[in-house]
Amino acid sequence: MHGIIPAAVLAIAGLAQAEWVKFNNSDLFPDVTYQGFQSDNPVTIAGSRNLQDSPPKYPSPWGEGHGEWADAYEKARAFVHQLTLEEKVNLTTGTGWKMDRCVGQTGSIPRLGFHSLCLQDSPNGVRLTDFVSVFPSGVNLAATWSRELVHSIGHAMGEEHRGKGVDMQLGPVVGPMGRAPEAGRSWEGFGPDPYLSGILASEAIQGMHSAGVMSSLKHAIAYEQGHFRLPYESVEMGWNITAPYSSNLDDVTMHELYLWPFADAIRAGAASVMCSYNQVNNSNGCQNSYVLNHLIKNELGFQGFVVSDWYGTWSGVSSILAGLDMSMPGVPEMQDQYSGRSFWGANLTVAVLNGSVPTWRLDDAVTRIVAAWYFVGRDEANETLSFSTWTKDTYGPAHYAIGDGLIHLNEHRDVRGNHSNLVREAGAKSTVLLKNTNGALPLTGKEKLTATFGEDAGPNIRGPNSCKQHACDEGTLAVGWGSGAPDFASLVTPDTAIQNEVSKFGGAYESILTNYASEQIDTLARRADVALVFVNSDSGEGQMVANNYGDRNNLTLWKGGDELVKRVSSSCPNTIVVVHSTGPVLLEEIKQNPNVTALLWAGLPGDQTGNAITDVLYGRVNPGAKLPFTVGVARKDWGTDVLYAPNNGILAPQANFQEGIFTDYRGFDKHNITPTYEFGYGLSYTSFSYSNLRVTKRPVREYTATQGYTSAAPNLSRSDVSSNPANHLFPSNFSMVPLYIYPWLNTTDLASASGDRYYGSNEFIPPGAQDSSPQPLAAAGGAPGGNPALWDIVYTVEATITNEGEVEGDEIPQLYISLGGPYDAPLLLRGFDRLSIQPGRSSTFQADIRRKDIMNWDTVAQDWYVSGYQKKVYVGSSSRNLPLSATLA
Ligand code: BGC
């Protein structure tokens, strides 16, 4: 096998080898650093530099069917054993852009009745189809801090995807986390805290799986901005770059921050992981062997499959050897999307035939895919695919990109069930009460004239789905833009819901749904008993909105929102402000404004937004949510920012994560910066007191590094698979759909079958990549999520929480730990719960501290360890209100 020239697909990439090319040219460009924090940890300083490289790690670990995966693996292996080479390739490769009906689809195996897998966005509801719910976005789910609610929503979203005939929901999101508050897509995930993010992503995944669809945990990893994520997209925006930006980060920051939520979610059974567009230490996310082979598959023992982000595959051989298992949508970057070419597909067939890709690696990729399918019970799902991503018309072309035929594309299945209740509940339970002077809220229902102001309270007058990919900020903001935005089957605006409410109690109601009618706004505000001002700040993915290219250009309110608040509040001394935003916005002035009597952050609440905010305003739901991020006084206070201009000529822009683990509250705490509202902050219509902290040490086994070796790569191949290219040609009389990606060859000459003009000229296969012998296990590995002993409960902490007020309410007690070392964050969130407590009653908050929760990453041992520094535990109602504390023995 090694004797055969293994060139084919590797060379097509052109860009394929960043990983093993070492740059030495430090004069390439000046050392560009943010005007931000620089961690003082030497490991971070050394590891977050321009042109940082990523070590090669081969071979790609084969799935072994650990733990809960055993049964699925047994079935998957039996299935894979029956497959021909082409059938295997078919399951790994997308069929092309807009060639089938979902945002991504694999080939199928008709002989065995295995249908093409439908992969569909998004993390908050089925995207680009009708009659679905738009659930609250990830950032709102984070603000609920409710495991149960997130689990239920995961299940409900799974039901809707399944109902439409989707096999895999492309969510949840744990990256971006929100390193910089401006980052455009952070709202899709659970915010900048890795612990909260990991726990909630796990719940979402288990919820989705319980409904029988696969999850896709995305994006791995350090995808912390939209700018420069794809060269072609950037070129369209006017930047001349040839490679995606590189997130340069060190080993400690990787483990203690960005990889952390992946560990929890993989432990919870994530079916797939989507790799990211950005490079990680100058190696593309989807062919980064360190990230995929080493971190995800070896250290975190991931048993599912890695799917590329769309057009995030940069090579054939290099990517599959580096751990990619499925390439989507099958075609290369966007400018090539209608080329009918693929790094995978037939090129993967070539690569196996010429020995570049060992059969065991392809078998492993397919086994992982089929195992994930069994793992969530797809073998028992019988809902057929019922919609098309590309049109809502009932009839349309079978292959949308080429416009052929006319088939029944959309059945218009209504899959919402009674989910509007859940959307509404989660909308209300994710609304954070930031300010409430003298009981301005809840409203009493006795207000004589209620006045609502702001475009953000009303509809988009062109319709709720009128902007492509929701890339516009028109009307109320209930979801951001891009692949995280499903279409609204209905959208209850705040204006409608509040008006309905007021008419129930017979008050008067007027609204002005533009931010710019100054005179009318002044007049109405003067007359109103209460003025409700709705303002927003939007962001998203891929498209430009008001000059914001996905990432926000600033943290102020959009469409003159700050001016609107000033205007209304200068005429009405009882002004209540509701903020819809994708992340933090600057609120200090509004906080200080005495005429603003109440302030709420409502995030992106989904399609019941109006009902949800009305429930809170009128006290049917007592707000209990807490901020899942910090709201700083000034933009610079975060000490991190998006890289807005290329800094490496036409080569990959370099984003240096020099602040290390000190993002969001960890940075504010370390640098002693007072925020407007801290991480974990949120008020209620009642108040809670904290007492009686109890810390119990639990008996545990010693932590020992995982040792030993894997088995050898299993041989799952049929004995009759021919290595003769003549047996892998298109079947005779096959009627080919133009541009469709097929696994067959069009000639027996592998060089021309590959379509690769460099075929044979580049013989580099990374050392060890083809080795199928038993491989050493990572010390921190050994099971999904990592070394099982990391999850042992080492302490249980309890505290008494008492509702001191007159009404029932939810409190979210939070547990923080200080690890005590010189380079540690002052506080790390390590426990939380959401408790409903009756007035005058107490509840016990109980949190289990896992061993990993008190550990640091040792870059030399490549394992977790408990440092010798004194550790303390704190419990309270926010990251800066921690009345209870104890030393951990
Ligand atoms: C996004 C992914 C999404 C995919 C498919 C990409 O541009 O980054 O999050 O799942 O498109 O729509």
Side-chain angles (χ1 to χ4, degrees):
M1 173 161 75
H2 294 263
I4 300 170
I5 295 175
V9 190
L10 177 65
I12 287 188
L15 299 164
Q17 298 172 60
E19 186 165 357
W20 41 85
V21 171
K22 288 237 161 78
F23 293 96
N24 276 322
N25 189 353
S26 53
D27 304 329
L28 254 181
F29 58 91
D31 189 50
V32 177
T33 44
Y34 299 121
Q35 301 279 309
F37 300 151
Q38 162 86 66
S39 164
D40 45 13
N41 186 342
V43 171
T44 298
I45 295 171
S48 56
R49 295 199 173 135
N50 287 334
L51 307 180
Q52 190 69 30
D53 56 63
S54 182
K57 292 280 184 182
Y58 297 93
S60 188
W62 34 92
E64 297 196 279
H66 287 307
E68 292 180 325
W69 287 80
D71 190 37
Y73 261 72
E74 208 183 303
K75 292 180 188 155
R77 284 176 177 156
F79 183 83
V80 173
H81 188 69
Q82 307 171 62
L83 304 184
T84 66
L85 175 55
E86 286 76 9
E87 286 168 340
K88 290 176 193 168
V89 166
N90 243 6
L91 284 194
T92 64
T93 308
T95 55
W97 183 236
K98 297 192 180 176
M99 294 309 291
D100 281 305
R101 288 153 75 183
C102 301
V103 76
Q105 266 181 251
T106 63
S108 58
I109 308 176
R111 183 175 66 89
L112 298 174
F114 195 93
H115 69 242
S116 150
L117 299 179
C118 163
L119 281 49
Q120 190 72 6
D121 297 302
S122 75
N124 42 307
V126 195
R127 178 179 174 226
L128 291 168
T129 182
D130 50 12
F131 303 105
V132 296
S133 306
V134 180
F135 291 87
S137 293
V139 68
N140 282 66
L141 299 189
T144 70
W145 300 60
S146 169
R147 292 173 174 82
E148 295 73 29
L149 204 49
V150 175
H151 191 101
S152 306
I153 288 188
H155 182 80
M157 293 193 298
E159 281 182 338
E160 297 200 12
H161 278 88
R162 177 179 174 150
K164 285 279 185 188
V166 172
D167 293 284
M168 180 155 100
Q169 173 175 0
L170 300 174
V173 172
V174 294
M177 297 178 75
R179 167 181 181 253
E182 300 82 5
R185 296 188 69 181
S186 309
W187 56 273
E188 294 181 46
F190 304 100
D193 186 77
Y195 181 89
L196 182 62
S197 190
I199 302 263
L200 295 184
S202 302
E203 295 293 343
I205 285 170
Q206 292 187 337
M208 291 172 193
H209 291 184
S210 69
V213 292
M214 293 184 276
S215 57
S216 191
L217 178 67
K218 66 191 192 182
H219 309 80
I221 196 168
Y223 172 42
E224 292 294 327
Q225 63 173 55
H227 277 72
F228 319 126
R229 62 181 197 154
L230 285 168
Y232 183 69
E233 194 181 87
S234 305
V235 167
E236 282 201 324
M237 296 292 167
W239 289 289
N240 184 17
I241 58 161
T242 53
Y245 74 92
S246 174
S247 295
N248 300 329
L249 71 162
D250 67 282
D251 200 22
V252 167
T253 304
M254 177 62 94
H255 281 86
E256 296 186 8
L257 182 53
Y258 296 100
L259 191 65
W260 185 286
F262 284 91
D264 278 289
I266 286 173
R267 182 162 178 259
S272 75
V273 165
M274 189 188 292
C275 48
S276 58
Y277 289 133
N278 58 289
Q279 304 195 48
V280 183
N281 294 331
N282 293 289
S283 168
N284 287 303
C286 289
Q287 63 183 49
N288 185 314
S289 65
Y290 182 78
V291 171
L292 305 182
N293 285 344
H294 180 64
L295 293 179
I296 302 281
K297 289 186 172 174
N298 189 359
E299 205 177 292
L300 298 188
F302 178 53
Q303 302 295 299
F305 63 97
V306 176
V307 56
S308 75
D309 199 344
W310 272 233
Y311 313 112
T313 308
W314 299 96
S315 63
V317 173
S318 297
S319 62
I320 191 167
L321 294 181
L324 184 65
D325 300 306
M326 181 188 280
S327 179
M328 279 291 154
V331 286
E333 221 201 352
M334 285 188 259
Q335 77 269 38
D336 260 352
Q337 62 185 349
Y338 299 118
S339 66
R341 296 177 353 127
S342 181
F343 287 126
W344 288 42
N347 270 321
L348 196 45
T349 308
V350 170
V352 171
L353 289 175
N354 75 10
S356 311
V357 173
T359 308
W360 63 258
R361 175 71 272 268
L362 176 62
D363 288 349
D364 175 56
V366 184
T367 305
R368 287 170 175 276
I369 295 166
V370 178
W373 184 84
Y374 278 119
F375 186 67
V376 304
R378 287 304 299 160
D379 51 327
E380 281 161 23
N382 39 30
E383 293 80 358
T384 50
L385 183 51
S386 69
F387 69 99
S388 166
T389 303
W390 321 116
T391 175
K392 290 193 182 116
D393 293 346
T394 304
Y395 294 91
H399 305 94
Y400 203 77
I402 57 169
D404 64 339
L406 199 64
I407 63 165
H408 193 182
L409 277 184
N410 282 301
E411 290 173 27
H412 313 290
R413 258 182 227 160
D414 192 332
V415 291
R416 290 172 296 168
N418 59 1
H419 297 159
S420 63
N421 297 333
L422 197 54
V423 176
R424 178 173 181 163
E425 179 189 350
K429 287 192 169 167
S430 59
T431 301
V432 187
L433 179 64
L434 296 172
K435 174 180 179 183
N436 194 13
T437 313
N438 300 328
L441 286 178
L443 299 174
T444 59
K446 296 195 181 97
E447 295 76 18
K448 204 165 174 200
L449 172 59
T450 304
T452 294
F453 299 90
E455 184 178 321
D456 182 66
N460 176 347
I461 57 169
R462 287 178 197 82
N465 304 311
S466 56
C467 302
K468 189 175 162 214
Q469 308 215 18
H470 294 262
C472 67
D473 183 31
E474 307 285 331
T476 194
L477 181 66
V479 72
W481 76 80
S483 62
D487 286 350
F488 295 102
S490 75
L491 173 60
V492 183
T493 65
D495 181 50
T496 304
I498 298 166
Q499 175 150 35
N500 288 344
E501 189 73 29
V502 171
S503 63
K504 274 193 241 157
F505 66 79
Y509 182 79
E510 291 184 38
S511 56
I512 298 178
L513 303 179
T514 164
N515 296 359
Y516 305 111
S518 325
E519 224 183 287
Q520 292 84 346
I521 290 172
D522 292 344
T523 315
L524 179 59
R526 273 202 299 277
R527 295 167 46 224
D529 298 292
V530 58
L532 303 169
V533 185
F534 285 80
V535 287
N536 71 35
S537 169
D538 199 359
S539 69
E541 178 195 356
Q543 323 248 339
M544 186 83 91
V545 176
N547 278 332
N548 295 267
Y549 169 44
D551 306 319
R552 286 183 288 169
N553 290 336
N554 55 49
L555 299 178
T556 49
L557 294 170
W558 286 31
K559 296 199 154 177
D562 291 292
E563 290 308 309
L564 180 68
V565 172
K566 268 189 223 157
R567 180 165 280 283
V568 173
S569 61
S570 66
S571 298
C572 177
N574 187 20
T575 297
I576 291 168
V577 177
V578 178
V579 179
H580 288 124
S581 73
T582 52
V585 283
L586 303 181
L587 296 171
E588 186 66 23
E589 255 192 77
I590 298 181
K591 177 186 183 184
Q592 302 300 347
N593 182 331
N595 284 357
V596 174
T597 50
L599 172 61
L600 298 134
W601 178 83
L604 306 169
D607 62 36
Q608 296 296 312
T609 174
N611 288 329
I613 194 68
T614 309
D615 288 343
V616 172
L617 291 173
Y618 290 91
R620 275 190 298 274
V621 172
N622 184 353
K626 307 269 187 173
L627 285 178
F629 48 71
T630 301
V631 175
V633 176
R635 177 181 192 162
K636 64 169 180 18
D637 293 353
W638 275 267
T640 49
D641 213 323
V642 163
L643 177 70
Y644 289 96
N647 58 1
N648 189 11
I650 61 166
L651 303 178
Q654 303 287 304
N656 299 332
F657 289 22
Q658 57 175 18
E659 71 291 341
I661 62 165
F662 298 101
T663 60
D664 202 77
Y665 69 91
R666 294 166 295 275
F668 281 79
D669 289 352
K670 180 177 167 73
H671 299 279
N672 238 324
I673 297 170
T674 307
T676 301
Y677 296 113
E678 71 269 19
F679 177 85
Y681 179 82
L683 302 171
S684 160
Y685 297 152
T686 182
S687 61
F688 300 94
S689 65
Y690 282 67
S691 61
N692 195 15
L693 183 70
R694 283 97 68 198
V695 179
T696 315
K697 193 165 181 190
R698 303 263 295 262
V700 275
R701 56 184 160 170
E702 284 287 296
Y703 180 75
T704 46
T706 296
Q707 286 175 341
Y709 284 79
T710 66
S711 57
N715 178 0
L716 301 177
S717 279
R718 284 163 39 160
S719 47
D720 61 348
V721 173
S722 160
S723 57
N724 180 356
N727 295 324
H728 300 278
L729 294 170
F730 273 91
S732 51
N733 300 326
F734 187 82
S735 106
M736 218 189 273
V737 176
L739 302 189
Y740 206 84
I741 305 299
Y742 294 107
W744 293 291
L745 312 184
N746 46 18
T747 155
T748 54
D749 172 11
L750 293 186
S752 48
S754 76
D756 177 1
R757 62 201 157 103
Y758 304 108
Y759 190 92
S761 66
N762 188 334
E763 298 172 22
F764 185 76
I765 292 284
Q770 297 177 325
D771 186 356
S772 60
S773 68
Q775 297 296 313
L777 296 167
N787 191 323
L790 292 171
W791 312 97
D792 293 343
I793 310 295
V794 290
Y795 296 95
T796 297
V797 176
E798 289 177 308
T800 304
I801 321 292
T802 306
N803 182 342
E804 305 283 357
E806 310 287 304
V807 286
E808 186 193 354
D810 285 6
E811 172 64 333
I812 297 167
Q814 297 154 47
L815 180 154
Y816 294 82
I817 291 183
S818 109
L819 296 177
Y823 305 126
D824 288 323
L827 295 170
L828 294 169
L829 180 75
R830 288 293 187 256
F832 64 89
D833 203 354
R834 182 165 180 142
L835 304 171
S836 295
I837 312 178
Q838 295 293 327
R841 306 291 289 270
S842 299
S843 270
T844 301
F845 164 58
Q846 188 190 314
D848 288 332
I849 300 178
R850 310 164 305 182
R851 192 194 307 261
K852 191 179 172 190
D853 296 334
I854 55 164
M855 294 176 112
N856 288 91
W857 181 250
D858 181 335
T859 58
V860 177
Q862 287 292 299
D863 200 359
W864 296 92
Y865 74 107
V866 181
S867 75
Y869 297 105
Q870 180 82 77
K871 308 204 178 328
K872 277 187 84 173
V873 55
Y874 302 82
V875 171
S877 64
S878 82
S879 66
R880 292 200 170 200
N881 183 12
L882 296 165
L884 309 179
S885 64
T887 298
L888 286 180

